[in-house]
Every structure is written in structure tokens, then in C-alpha cells.
Amino acid sequence: NIHGWFDYENLYDYAIEKLNNNANIAECGCWVGKSSCYLNHKIKESSKLINHFIFDSFEGNKEWDESEFNTLNHVILNYLKAN
């Protein structure tokens, strides 16, 4: 159970259904990987050979102030250490 925002499972399910073997799919922005893990699980479940590329700058949101960013980094680090 991964923390994060992801409520478009139907879109990912549809994409996997429509993609052919040896297709590529790219995900821009992965936060801590909730949607990426879902997509990888669905790819494996489909038995199709689909390349999943994940891109993220890992620089955070430039609109957040430094204290919010530091708090967020602390939360993520503790989450990753626990899992």
C-alpha cells in the first residue's frame, strides 16, 4: 500500500489492454511510485512485453517553500526506510 495520489486505474487498465507486445509506455512524474507500481503490476498481469519508462526530476514542486519541501523529504525518507 503505497502513499500517493493515484485514482486513474481505469486509464492505465485501458492503456495496457490496447497496447501491443513490444510497446513502450512512458510515465512522467512518479512521486513515490504508486502509479508506477500499479502499471508494472498490470503489465505483468497482462503477459505482454511492454517497456515502461519512468521519468521524474525529483526536484519537487518549485511552488513549495523550503520548509514544506524539507518536511516532505523527511516523510518520504522515513517511508522508504520503513519499506
Side-chain angles (χ1 to χ4, degrees):
N1 198 6
I2 300 171
H3 173 75
W5 299 277
F6 177 59
D7 61 359
Y8 38 91
E9 292 91 345
N10 291 342
L11 176 63
Y12 278 27
D13 294 347
Y14 179 79
I16 297 304
E17 177 186 326
K18 295 299 180 183
L19 288 172
N20 296 320
N21 274 325
N22 298 313
N24 296 314
I25 189 166
E27 186 176 12
C28 299
C30 65
W31 186 237
V32 292
K34 186 172 187 171
S35 59
S36 302
C37 287
Y38 180 87
L39 187 54
N40 282 332
H41 173 76
K42 288 299 184 174
I43 290 170
K44 185 175 181 179
E45 199 175 70
S46 75
S47 299
K48 294 180 180 179
L49 300 174
I50 297 172
N51 298 306
H52 178 199
F53 299 95
I54 306 164
F55 301 92
D56 200 303
S57 68
F58 298 105
E59 293 179 2
N61 187 332
K62 300 297 183 197
E63 295 175 7
W64 293 351
D65 68 30
E66 188 172 336
S67 65
E68 290 174 309
F69 188 71
N70 288 335
T71 300
L72 183 60
N73 280 339
H74 180 72
V75 169
I76 292 171
L77 180 60
N78 286 337
Y79 176 80
L80 293 173
K81 284 180 179 179
N83 294 292

